[in-house]
Amino acid sequence: MDSTLPAVAEELLKEIKKAFQETSHGTDMFSFRLKFIFGPSAVPALDLVDQRSVTRVMSPSGRTAYQVLGSSGKLYTCYSSCHFCTCPAFGFTVLQKSESLLCKHILAVYLSQAMGACQELTVSEEQLTSILLAEEEDEG
Amino acid sequence: LCRGGLAERLCRLQNRERSAINFWRHQCISDAKIPSDKTGVLIVKILEMFEECTIQVAICQQLEQSPAMLSSEDAVISAGEPILKVLFARETAAHLKSRPQDVIHIYPPWQKLLLRNADVPVIMNTYFSQKVLLSEHSETREKTCSLTKMLIKKNIISLAQTFKLDDLDDELHQESSDHQVACAPQIPDNCDSKQHPLAQSAVNDSLLEMVESQGAVGWREVQVRVIIQRVYCLPAREGYRSHVQGNKPLLSNRGLFCRLCLLVQDAYGMFSEVQLQSLSSADDIEHYCRRWEGKFCCLAGMKILQRTTRGRALGLFSLIESLWPPVVPVKVPGQSQDSEMMTSDLPPPSFCYILTVQSGEIHVEVDEEEQISNLYQPPAVRGLKEILQINGCNVRCSFWAQVLYLRLQTKYSVPINQREILLFVTDSTLQNGVHMIPKVVAVSVAASCVLSMEVTEALSVVSRLVFFKDALWGNGRIICVERTVLLLQKPLLYSAAGADLSELTGPVRLDELDSTTQANSICAVKGTVIGVNESTAFSWPTCDRCGNGKLELCPQDREVLYCNRCSEVVISPVLKMQLEVFLSCPSRSQSTVKVKVWHKMSFRLFVLINMLLSLQSYEVQSVLGKEVGLLNCYVHSVTSHPNCVALEEIVLL
């Protein structure tokens, strides 16, 4: 049986985007639907959008990635070509237990796109590569 | 959670809904009767069920009437009855414990979603659902239900499928570029007040009156005449709310959205911050400062964003206080128009209105032709030596200084465009200063200080004189925050009471490393080599034209190096070397001084490294005891146990 939920989620996000384009604010109906489909990720994701934590990082070759400033101050990377996020919740809830479609960071990425709340940043190819690879901490 | 944000709203709605669901369920149990007359009730029969990410998906048939009316023989599926996909949340599914063939009543408010490429409608928000028990079979069914545990197939969703919101994206981009063109001419350069419709009505000179008359008849036409004390860019926080409507924030080179703002003052001395719409680029900030600061301006029909106080907006009020008291007498409300009061004993303002422009209409007219108002207070330029001696906290100061070195904060958890920049600056007051006064001071530029592209590029290329307007001094540090503006040229007007603004003559000197040197500063180092960290020695070739350190081997001829920045073969590469040496410095004799040397080094060290890298054997003793000349270094860290200073050689701009 083909899966249903992704199509529903995509349609919901498209409608949110359309509503924001027309009125520059959502309606409560979207909030209810978001909560229904995405469950416990909905409120934290909206909070990330309220704080404009999502940045779309682009390189000259056209590759993109997303960086989301989590509530703890840590920066997580979300891929644009598939659903993936470097946060531990994604590894556990989505990959291991399949309990959720997305983590709150990926949802925040979609919502920010729909509401035009993405910050934009252009970096060099090397910088984008280092973002996509594991981040290293600086000792100095 | 942000107050007034979407998350907070959803939280409140959710709480209300949860209590409504619980109340409803409780009521159903106590009533033990199915309400028969309901409009909007969806009656479905489950055909098939499976689970996707804790949501239960039930393929159902929609029934017209309650099946209590039908006999059990009619339970056969009749073709043509509409099929629905009903989604149940985890908690609802646990409550229902439904199975195929069960009939469910779904009470409003439920929601229907039609997918673009599918025929089957989706029903969601099915919190108010109840299973209908067919009375004849209910007992036996209940028994079987409790004995067998139902297994539901779980669909694993692929992560490869992403959501495409894109078909509307292109339209959005076109719209934004159109909108930008439309926005730009809205702030007129040279307005002829006779032709302008706003000029018809009387001009007021009180901001407070304008604010208090908001909503009254004719308030939109009332104009207030104010003077522009400062022009600056603020990073925008509400970017997305106004994004579509045309109150479009602009993108500065640091990737932050920002908005052009004016700090205005009326004839009564009251201040207000006016947030304007977007311009074509943030790089015009220097341009607008020159054209608008000190000039008169008419405001009309402004929207009040906020009334803020000192406690809530320290940054704004530190700027206002730097402009207090007014340099000319201001009017006093309630007294006749002509009488004015001396302002030296008036307390500084404790509140300020933040206004914004309504989209789509012209509300701010700057009169560029008229001369500068007497009320205008140009930035008071001071020497850095004087600033370092200011007693007080959160004091705005302006100065003109030479930038010697730039360092970007290296915290990787912070995105690049929001990182702090550390600038090391000096002026003639510091260079010619006496003992106890540092020769160079660090100025940190926070992410909230909006820099134009021009300034950012200029800062990293060559040593520049930069004008810092309204930087903040406090706790022994100079910082550039919101409302600080960095300019490459001195403003047209500034007061420089006694400040030494002479150009620097001769080479710049840094403080020498001593016991007071702290981390994240720059200094000059002199000493003798007492040790070498051999494991850190390496060398690499660089392009002699552009200095590119990442040369590649030529694909055609693997013996030759190629620079992809110049797109040419490098015939005579410059060999750069790096090594960590331990020095004994007389100026700080108690500490072990470790220096990463790599820009230029004495010949002896060069020879040593060469030996270390190329030969199997070497004589370290030949280099020990050699003098290392005055090196300019950045101090990475200073630790007391062990007593160690880690430095890195730098090249000043």
PDB file of all heavy atoms in Angstrom, chain A residues 58-91:
ATOM      1  N   MET A  58      23.747  28.454   0.588  1.00  0.00           N
ATOM      2  CA  MET A  58      23.870  28.138  -0.844  1.00  0.00           C
ATOM      3  C   MET A  58      25.308  28.319  -1.291  1.00  0.00           C
ATOM      4  O   MET A  58      26.029  29.176  -0.774  1.00  0.00           O
ATOM      5  CB  MET A  58      22.993  29.084  -1.659  1.00  0.00           C
ATOM      6  CG  MET A  58      21.544  29.025  -1.252  1.00  0.00           C
ATOM      7  SD  MET A  58      20.583  30.324  -2.005  1.00  0.00           S
ATOM      8  CE  MET A  58      21.060  31.704  -1.007  1.00  0.00           C
ATOM      9  N   SER A  59      25.699  27.520  -2.276  1.00  0.00           N
ATOM     10  CA  SER A  59      27.044  27.672  -2.818  1.00  0.00           C
ATOM     11  C   SER A  59      26.916  28.066  -4.289  1.00  0.00           C
ATOM     12  O   SER A  59      25.866  27.879  -4.884  1.00  0.00           O
ATOM     13  CB  SER A  59      27.820  26.377  -2.659  1.00  0.00           C
ATOM     14  OG  SER A  59      27.355  25.423  -3.587  1.00  0.00           O
ATOM     15  N   PRO A  60      27.968  28.574  -4.892  1.00  0.00           N
ATOM     16  CA  PRO A  60      27.893  29.020  -6.286  1.00  0.00           C
ATOM     17  C   PRO A  60      27.446  27.927  -7.251  1.00  0.00           C
ATOM     18  O   PRO A  60      26.825  28.225  -8.271  1.00  0.00           O
ATOM     19  CB  PRO A  60      29.325  29.453  -6.610  1.00  0.00           C
ATOM     20  CG  PRO A  60      29.920  29.793  -5.304  1.00  0.00           C
ATOM     21  CD  PRO A  60      29.278  28.896  -4.285  1.00  0.00           C
ATOM     22  N   SER A  61      27.735  26.664  -6.923  1.00  0.00           N
ATOM     23  CA  SER A  61      27.331  25.610  -7.858  1.00  0.00           C
ATOM     24  C   SER A  61      25.848  25.325  -7.786  1.00  0.00           C
ATOM     25  O   SER A  61      25.331  24.553  -8.565  1.00  0.00           O
ATOM     26  CB  SER A  61      28.099  24.329  -7.536  1.00  0.00           C
ATOM     27  OG  SER A  61      27.722  23.881  -6.247  1.00  0.00           O
ATOM     28  N   GLY A  62      25.136  25.921  -6.845  1.00  0.00           N
ATOM     29  CA  GLY A  62      23.707  25.708  -6.731  1.00  0.00           C
ATOM     30  C   GLY A  62      23.330  24.719  -5.656  1.00  0.00           C
ATOM     31  O   GLY A  62      22.154  24.463  -5.425  1.00  0.00           O
ATOM     32  N   ARG A  63      24.295  24.155  -4.973  1.00  0.00           N
ATOM     33  CA  ARG A  63      23.973  23.207  -3.907  1.00  0.00           C
ATOM     34  C   ARG A  63      23.465  23.976  -2.705  1.00  0.00           C
ATOM     35  O   ARG A  63      23.878  25.081  -2.433  1.00  0.00           O
ATOM     36  CB  ARG A  63      25.219  22.421  -3.497  1.00  0.00           C
ATOM     37  CG  ARG A  63      25.619  21.396  -4.523  1.00  0.00           C
ATOM     38  CD  ARG A  63      26.717  20.494  -3.987  1.00  0.00           C
ATOM     39  NE  ARG A  63      27.136  19.589  -5.026  1.00  0.00           N
ATOM     40  CZ  ARG A  63      27.946  19.893  -6.018  1.00  0.00           C
ATOM     41  NH1 ARG A  63      28.460  21.100  -6.080  1.00  0.00           N
ATOM     42  NH2 ARG A  63      28.255  19.011  -6.937  1.00  0.00           N
ATOM     43  N   THR A  64      22.535  23.348  -1.981  1.00  0.00           N
ATOM     44  CA  THR A  64      22.022  24.016  -0.785  1.00  0.00           C
ATOM     45  C   THR A  64      22.037  23.062   0.396  1.00  0.00           C
ATOM     46  O   THR A  64      22.030  21.844   0.233  1.00  0.00           O
ATOM     47  CB  THR A  64      20.562  24.465  -0.969  1.00  0.00           C
ATOM     48  OG1 THR A  64      19.786  23.310  -1.306  1.00  0.00           O
ATOM     49  CG2 THR A  64      20.413  25.507  -2.035  1.00  0.00           C
ATOM     50  N   ALA A  65      22.025  23.639   1.559  1.00  0.00           N
ATOM     51  CA  ALA A  65      21.829  22.880   2.789  1.00  0.00           C
ATOM     52  C   ALA A  65      21.136  23.858   3.732  1.00  0.00           C
ATOM     53  O   ALA A  65      21.062  25.057   3.453  1.00  0.00           O
ATOM     54  CB  ALA A  65      23.153  22.431   3.377  1.00  0.00           C
ATOM     55  N   TYR A  66      20.613  23.337   4.823  1.00  0.00           N
ATOM     56  CA  TYR A  66      19.961  24.218   5.788  1.00  0.00           C
ATOM     57  C   TYR A  66      20.653  24.096   7.125  1.00  0.00           C
ATOM     58  O   TYR A  66      21.038  23.000   7.537  1.00  0.00           O
ATOM     59  CB  TYR A  66      18.479  23.844   5.948  1.00  0.00           C
ATOM     60  CG  TYR A  66      17.662  24.186   4.731  1.00  0.00           C
ATOM     61  CD1 TYR A  66      17.459  23.267   3.717  1.00  0.00           C
ATOM     62  CD2 TYR A  66      17.115  25.465   4.598  1.00  0.00           C
ATOM     63  CE1 TYR A  66      16.738  23.602   2.592  1.00  0.00           C
ATOM     64  CE2 TYR A  66      16.385  25.802   3.473  1.00  0.00           C
ATOM     65  CZ  TYR A  66      16.197  24.866   2.478  1.00  0.00           C
ATOM     66  OH  TYR A  66      15.475  25.195   1.366  1.00  0.00           O
ATOM     67  N   GLN A  67      20.798  25.216   7.789  1.00  0.00           N
ATOM     68  CA  GLN A  67      21.341  25.172   9.144  1.00  0.00           C
ATOM     69  C   GLN A  67      20.282  25.729  10.072  1.00  0.00           C
ATOM     70  O   GLN A  67      19.711  26.794   9.813  1.00  0.00           O
ATOM     71  CB  GLN A  67      22.611  26.021   9.244  1.00  0.00           C
ATOM     72  CG  GLN A  67      23.806  25.331   8.609  1.00  0.00           C
ATOM     73  CD  GLN A  67      25.107  25.974   9.030  1.00  0.00           C
ATOM     74  OE1 GLN A  67      25.257  27.176   8.947  1.00  0.00           O
ATOM     75  NE2 GLN A  67      26.048  25.190   9.476  1.00  0.00           N
ATOM     76  N   VAL A  68      20.010  24.988  11.149  1.00  0.00           N
ATOM     77  CA  VAL A  68      18.979  25.430  12.075  1.00  0.00           C
ATOM     78  C   VAL A  68      19.622  25.620  13.439  1.00  0.00           C
ATOM     79  O   VAL A  68      20.306  24.726  13.935  1.00  0.00           O
ATOM     80  CB  VAL A  68      17.842  24.381  12.187  1.00  0.00           C
ATOM     81  CG1 VAL A  68      16.743  24.899  13.092  1.00  0.00           C
ATOM     82  CG2 VAL A  68      17.296  24.041  10.822  1.00  0.00           C
ATOM     83  N   LEU A  69      19.405  26.775  14.026  1.00  0.00           N
ATOM     84  CA  LEU A  69      19.949  27.053  15.350  1.00  0.00           C
ATOM     85  C   LEU A  69      18.974  26.484  16.359  1.00  0.00           C
ATOM     86  O   LEU A  69      17.889  27.016  16.542  1.00  0.00           O
ATOM     87  CB  LEU A  69      20.098  28.565  15.526  1.00  0.00           C
ATOM     88  CG  LEU A  69      20.939  29.036  16.706  1.00  0.00           C
ATOM     89  CD1 LEU A  69      22.358  28.541  16.557  1.00  0.00           C
ATOM     90  CD2 LEU A  69      20.925  30.546  16.767  1.00  0.00           C
ATOM     91  N   GLY A  70      19.354  25.373  16.976  1.00  0.00           N
ATOM     92  CA  GLY A  70      18.437  24.718  17.903  1.00  0.00           C
ATOM     93  C   GLY A  70      18.235  25.523  19.175  1.00  0.00           C
ATOM     94  O   GLY A  70      18.928  26.492  19.437  1.00  0.00           O
ATOM     95  N   SER A  71      17.291  25.081  19.988  1.00  0.00           N
ATOM     96  CA  SER A  71      16.976  25.841  21.193  1.00  0.00           C
ATOM     97  C   SER A  71      18.123  25.823  22.192  1.00  0.00           C
ATOM     98  O   SER A  71      18.245  26.713  23.015  1.00  0.00           O
ATOM     99  CB  SER A  71      15.705  25.294  21.837  1.00  0.00           C
ATOM    100  OG  SER A  71      15.683  23.896  21.679  1.00  0.00           O
ATOM    101  N   SER A  72      18.983  24.811  22.111  1.00  0.00           N
ATOM    102  CA  SER A  72      20.097  24.758  23.050  1.00  0.00           C
ATOM    103  C   SER A  72      21.270  25.600  22.578  1.00  0.00           C
ATOM    104  O   SER A  72      22.304  25.665  23.224  1.00  0.00           O
ATOM    105  CB  SER A  72      20.554  23.311  23.202  1.00  0.00           C
ATOM    106  OG  SER A  72      20.856  22.815  21.917  1.00  0.00           O
ATOM    107  N   GLY A  73      21.131  26.215  21.412  1.00  0.00           N
ATOM    108  CA  GLY A  73      22.229  27.012  20.878  1.00  0.00           C
ATOM    109  C   GLY A  73      23.083  26.231  19.907  1.00  0.00           C
ATOM    110  O   GLY A  73      23.973  26.767  19.255  1.00  0.00           O
ATOM    111  N   LYS A  74      22.819  24.943  19.780  1.00  0.00           N
ATOM    112  CA  LYS A  74      23.607  24.135  18.843  1.00  0.00           C
ATOM    113  C   LYS A  74      23.060  24.278  17.434  1.00  0.00           C
ATOM    114  O   LYS A  74      21.860  24.419  17.226  1.00  0.00           O
ATOM    115  CB  LYS A  74      23.539  22.664  19.248  1.00  0.00           C
ATOM    116  CG  LYS A  74      24.681  22.254  20.160  1.00  0.00           C
ATOM    117  CD  LYS A  74      24.915  20.755  20.109  1.00  0.00           C
ATOM    118  CE  LYS A  74      25.888  20.423  18.988  1.00  0.00           C
ATOM    119  NZ  LYS A  74      26.142  19.005  18.864  1.00  0.00           N
ATOM    120  N   LEU A  75      23.994  24.200  16.482  1.00  0.00           N
ATOM    121  CA  LEU A  75      23.603  24.362  15.097  1.00  0.00           C
ATOM    122  C   LEU A  75      23.469  22.995  14.447  1.00  0.00           C
ATOM    123  O   LEU A  75      24.385  22.188  14.488  1.00  0.00           O
ATOM    124  CB  LEU A  75      24.701  25.153  14.390  1.00  0.00           C
ATOM    125  CG  LEU A  75      24.327  25.850  13.097  1.00  0.00           C
ATOM    126  CD1 LEU A  75      23.258  26.885  13.370  1.00  0.00           C
ATOM    127  CD2 LEU A  75      25.552  26.524  12.512  1.00  0.00           C
ATOM    128  N   TYR A  76      22.299  22.716  13.877  1.00  0.00           N
ATOM    129  CA  TYR A  76      22.105  21.434  13.205  1.00  0.00           C
ATOM    130  C   TYR A  76      21.998  21.649  11.706  1.00  0.00           C
ATOM    131  O   TYR A  76      21.508  22.673  11.243  1.00  0.00           O
ATOM    132  CB  TYR A  76      20.831  20.756  13.727  1.00  0.00           C
ATOM    133  CG  TYR A  76      20.900  20.422  15.186  1.00  0.00           C
ATOM    134  CD1 TYR A  76      20.102  21.089  16.122  1.00  0.00           C
ATOM    135  CD2 TYR A  76      21.782  19.459  15.661  1.00  0.00           C
ATOM    136  CE1 TYR A  76      20.178  20.794  17.468  1.00  0.00           C
ATOM    137  CE2 TYR A  76      21.863  19.160  17.000  1.00  0.00           C
ATOM    138  CZ  TYR A  76      21.060  19.830  17.900  1.00  0.00           C
ATOM    139  OH  TYR A  76      21.140  19.535  19.234  1.00  0.00           O
ATOM    140  N   THR A  77      22.467  20.641  10.969  1.00  0.00           N
ATOM    141  CA  THR A  77      22.417  20.741   9.515  1.00  0.00           C
ATOM    142  C   THR A  77      21.315  19.836   8.998  1.00  0.00           C
ATOM    143  O   THR A  77      21.229  18.664   9.377  1.00  0.00           O
ATOM    144  CB  THR A  77      23.761  20.283   8.923  1.00  0.00           C
ATOM    145  OG1 THR A  77      24.787  21.076   9.508  1.00  0.00           O
ATOM    146  CG2 THR A  77      23.775  20.476   7.423  1.00  0.00           C
ATOM    147  N   CYS A  78      20.469  20.357   8.127  1.00  0.00           N
ATOM    148  CA  CYS A  78      19.428  19.552   7.486  1.00  0.00           C
ATOM    149  C   CYS A  78      19.709  19.523   5.991  1.00  0.00           C
ATOM    150  O   CYS A  78      20.014  20.556   5.390  1.00  0.00           O
ATOM    151  CB  CYS A  78      18.048  20.167   7.729  1.00  0.00           C
ATOM    152  SG  CYS A  78      17.605  20.243   9.460  1.00  0.00           S
ATOM    153  N   TYR A  79      19.599  18.343   5.401  1.00  0.00           N
ATOM    154  CA  TYR A  79      19.865  18.242   3.975  1.00  0.00           C
ATOM    155  C   TYR A  79      18.642  18.690   3.193  1.00  0.00           C
ATOM    156  O   TYR A  79      17.515  18.596   3.665  1.00  0.00           O
ATOM    157  CB  TYR A  79      20.182  16.787   3.621  1.00  0.00           C
ATOM    158  CG  TYR A  79      21.528  16.308   4.109  1.00  0.00           C
ATOM    159  CD1 TYR A  79      22.365  17.116   4.866  1.00  0.00           C
ATOM    160  CD2 TYR A  79      21.967  15.031   3.822  1.00  0.00           C
ATOM    161  CE1 TYR A  79      23.598  16.667   5.303  1.00  0.00           C
ATOM    162  CE2 TYR A  79      23.193  14.570   4.255  1.00  0.00           C
ATOM    163  CZ  TYR A  79      24.006  15.386   4.999  1.00  0.00           C
ATOM    164  OH  TYR A  79      25.215  14.926   5.429  1.00  0.00           O
ATOM    165  N   SER A  80      18.881  19.132   1.956  1.00  0.00           N
ATOM    166  CA  SER A  80      17.746  19.535   1.133  1.00  0.00           C
ATOM    167  C   SER A  80      17.340  18.444   0.149  1.00  0.00           C
ATOM    168  O   SER A  80      16.240  18.476  -0.391  1.00  0.00           O
ATOM    169  CB  SER A  80      18.078  20.821   0.375  1.00  0.00           C
ATOM    170  OG  SER A  80      19.364  20.739  -0.175  1.00  0.00           O
ATOM    171  N   SER A  81      18.222  17.461  -0.072  1.00  0.00           N
ATOM    172  CA  SER A  81      17.887  16.453  -1.082  1.00  0.00           C
ATOM    173  C   SER A  81      17.150  15.260  -0.495  1.00  0.00           C
ATOM    174  O   SER A  81      16.586  14.466  -1.216  1.00  0.00           O
ATOM    175  CB  SER A  81      19.165  15.955  -1.742  1.00  0.00           C
ATOM    176  OG  SER A  81      20.060  15.554  -0.725  1.00  0.00           O
ATOM    177  N   CYS A  82      17.171  15.133   0.810  1.00  0.00           N
ATOM    178  CA  CYS A  82      16.430  14.054   1.448  1.00  0.00           C
ATOM    179  C   CYS A  82      16.127  14.523   2.859  1.00  0.00           C
ATOM    180  O   CYS A  82      16.633  15.548   3.300  1.00  0.00           O
ATOM    181  CB  CYS A  82      17.242  12.761   1.477  1.00  0.00           C
ATOM    182  SG  CYS A  82      18.717  12.883   2.500  1.00  0.00           S
ATOM    183  N   HIS A  83      15.324  13.752   3.576  1.00  0.00           N
ATOM    184  CA  HIS A  83      15.025  14.145   4.951  1.00  0.00           C
ATOM    185  C   HIS A  83      16.125  13.632   5.846  1.00  0.00           C
ATOM    186  O   HIS A  83      16.188  12.437   6.139  1.00  0.00           O
ATOM    187  CB  HIS A  83      13.679  13.552   5.382  1.00  0.00           C
ATOM    188  CG  HIS A  83      12.527  14.268   4.772  1.00  0.00           C
ATOM    189  ND1 HIS A  83      11.272  13.754   4.715  1.00  0.00           N
ATOM    190  CD2 HIS A  83      12.455  15.485   4.194  1.00  0.00           C
ATOM    191  CE1 HIS A  83      10.464  14.603   4.139  1.00  0.00           C
ATOM    192  NE2 HIS A  83      11.155  15.656   3.806  1.00  0.00           N
ATOM    193  N   PHE A  84      16.969  14.535   6.259  1.00  0.00           N
ATOM    194  CA  PHE A  84      18.023  14.153   7.184  1.00  0.00           C
ATOM    195  C   PHE A  84      18.391  15.347   8.034  1.00  0.00           C
ATOM    196  O   PHE A  84      18.454  16.465   7.538  1.00  0.00           O
ATOM    197  CB  PHE A  84      19.263  13.653   6.437  1.00  0.00           C
ATOM    198  CG  PHE A  84      20.354  13.235   7.382  1.00  0.00           C
ATOM    199  CD1 PHE A  84      20.298  12.020   8.030  1.00  0.00           C
ATOM    200  CD2 PHE A  84      21.411  14.088   7.665  1.00  0.00           C
ATOM    201  CE1 PHE A  84      21.282  11.639   8.931  1.00  0.00           C
ATOM    202  CE2 PHE A  84      22.402  13.723   8.563  1.00  0.00           C
ATOM    203  CZ  PHE A  84      22.342  12.498   9.196  1.00  0.00           C
ATOM    204  N   CYS A  85      18.637  15.094   9.312  1.00  0.00           N
ATOM    205  CA  CYS A  85      19.050  16.162  10.209  1.00  0.00           C
ATOM    206  C   CYS A  85      20.093  15.588  11.160  1.00  0.00           C
ATOM    207  O   CYS A  85      20.041  14.415  11.512  1.00  0.00           O
ATOM    208  CB  CYS A  85      17.843  16.667  11.005  1.00  0.00           C
ATOM    209  SG  CYS A  85      18.247  17.925  12.226  1.00  0.00           S
ATOM    210  N   THR A  86      21.055  16.438  11.551  1.00  0.00           N
ATOM    211  CA  THR A  86      22.131  15.935  12.403  1.00  0.00           C
ATOM    212  C   THR A  86      21.756  15.895  13.879  1.00  0.00           C
ATOM    213  O   THR A  86      22.587  15.591  14.719  1.00  0.00           O
ATOM    214  CB  THR A  86      23.384  16.827  12.240  1.00  0.00           C
ATOM    215  OG1 THR A  86      22.996  18.188  12.463  1.00  0.00           O
ATOM    216  CG2 THR A  86      23.958  16.684  10.847  1.00  0.00           C
ATOM    217  N   CYS A  87      20.487  16.183  14.206  1.00  0.00           N
ATOM    218  CA  CYS A  87      20.150  16.220  15.626  1.00  0.00           C
ATOM    219  C   CYS A  87      19.910  14.798  16.162  1.00  0.00           C
ATOM    220  O   CYS A  87      19.536  13.913  15.403  1.00  0.00           O
ATOM    221  CB  CYS A  87      18.929  17.100  15.872  1.00  0.00           C
ATOM    222  SG  CYS A  87      17.360  16.387  15.315  1.00  0.00           S
ATOM    223  N   PRO A  88      20.112  14.575  17.451  1.00  0.00           N
ATOM    224  CA  PRO A  88      19.922  13.230  18.004  1.00  0.00           C
ATOM    225  C   PRO A  88      18.474  12.757  17.942  1.00  0.00           C
ATOM    226  O   PRO A  88      18.204  11.569  17.782  1.00  0.00           O
ATOM    227  CB  PRO A  88      20.393  13.368  19.467  1.00  0.00           C
ATOM    228  CG  PRO A  88      20.623  14.792  19.702  1.00  0.00           C
ATOM    229  CD  PRO A  88      20.655  15.510  18.418  1.00  0.00           C
ATOM    230  N   ALA A  89      17.519  13.676  18.024  1.00  0.00           N
ATOM    231  CA  ALA A  89      16.109  13.303  17.966  1.00  0.00           C
ATOM    232  C   ALA A  89      15.769  12.663  16.630  1.00  0.00           C
ATOM    233  O   ALA A  89      14.988  11.713  16.556  1.00  0.00           O
ATOM    234  CB  ALA A  89      15.233  14.533  18.186  1.00  0.00           C
ATOM    235  N   PHE A  90      16.382  13.135  15.565  1.00  0.00           N
ATOM    236  CA  PHE A  90      16.125  12.554  14.247  1.00  0.00           C
ATOM    237  C   PHE A  90      16.598  11.108  14.232  1.00  0.00           C
ATOM    238  O   PHE A  90      15.876  10.205  13.790  1.00  0.00           O
ATOM    239  CB  PHE A  90      16.854  13.359  13.176  1.00  0.00           C
ATOM    240  CG  PHE A  90      16.651  12.824  11.793  1.00  0.00           C
ATOM    241  CD1 PHE A  90      15.508  13.140  11.087  1.00  0.00           C
ATOM    242  CD2 PHE A  90      17.583  11.983  11.218  1.00  0.00           C
ATOM    243  CE1 PHE A  90      15.300  12.631   9.816  1.00  0.00           C
ATOM    244  CE2 PHE A  90      17.387  11.473   9.952  1.00  0.00           C
ATOM    245  CZ  PHE A  90      16.240  11.796   9.250  1.00  0.00           C
ATOM    246  N   GLY A  91      17.805  10.898  14.735  1.00  0.00           N
ATOM    247  CA  GLY A  91      18.370   9.556  14.740  1.00  0.00           C
ATOM    248  C   GLY A  91      17.487   8.580  15.502  1.00  0.00           C
ATOM    249  O   GLY A  91      17.288   7.439  15.098  1.00  0.00           O
TER     250      GLY A  91
END
